[in-house]
Amino acid sequence: SPPIQAWFYANSWCASTLATHMVADHPEIARMLEQRPLRGPVTMIPYGADVVHDVDPSPLAALGVEADRFGLVIARPEPENSIREIVEAWSRNVPELPLVVLGHYDPSHPYHRAVQAADGWKDICQEIHGYFPVASFWLARSCSSASALSIS
């Protein structure tokens, strides 16, 4: 909405005017910031990670997940991260493979409820604790029907 866009623009302008060092998470954002009068440098820190080789697959096996045969979602469960859409698309297009979803889904939170009500997300299994101390670990795995995923 225009008021929200204006709010974000005003905050962005204030930050770029007052900050002594700006950090961007995308090259286009860094380029935009560099066009403004800044008091300090702009550092771009990209998303991503290095490829990991030679990993012990036994923790995956304990969860019923086969190495190199699952999808992984690591994102805050917020609407802008499209978790509901990811779960629905996965259940329609890749139902034969498990989908691991990291995050804490609070049943009192409206968006979290919407994700858990999405086609493909079956609230019939257990939350797994202990693998990630900060976030709960959920495993959405294909059930017997081609379009259903379950949480286990």
Side-chain angles (χ1 to χ4, degrees):
S1 75
I4 292 173
Q5 289 174 335
W7 172 255
F8 283 128
Y9 180 79
N11 278 288
S12 173
W13 182 85
C14 287
S16 64
T17 302
L18 301 173
T20 58
H21 193 131
M22 296 294 292
V23 177
D25 64 358
H26 192 278
E28 290 301 317
I29 294 172
R31 278 193 267 287
M32 177 200 65
L33 290 171
E34 288 166 347
Q35 301 302 312
R36 296 181 180 179
L38 299 173
R39 295 176 54 198
V42 175
T43 300
M44 203 282 292
I45 302 173
Y47 288 125
D50 295 330
V51 176
V52 178
H53 300 281
D54 301 321
V55 176
D56 177 12
S58 61
L60 293 174
L63 298 171
V65 179
E66 184 181 340
D68 299 323
R69 302 271 308 146
F70 66 96
L72 177 63
V73 177
I74 303 174
R76 289 176 300 108
E78 298 297 334
E80 66 266 16
N81 289 328
S82 305
I83 307 300
R84 182 178 56 82
E85 292 82 356
I86 292 169
V87 170
E88 289 174 347
W90 189 270
S91 70
R92 282 192 308 272
N93 296 295
V94 198
E96 68 279 2
L97 295 178
L99 177 64
V100 176
V101 179
L102 297 180
H104 176 70
Y105 288 80
D106 180 352
S108 69
H109 190 286
Y111 181 71
H112 297 185
R113 281 196 312 271
V115 170
Q116 291 176 309
D119 288 341
W121 184 293
K122 298 292 236 180
D123 190 9
I124 59 173
C125 300
Q126 299 280 330
E127 184 176 1
I128 300 170
H129 293 282
Y131 287 91
F132 297 92
V134 174
S136 301
F137 180 85
W138 293 84
L139 171 64
R141 183 174 48 215
S142 300
C143 293
S144 56
S145 70
S147 65
L149 297 175
S150 65
I151 310 307
S152 63

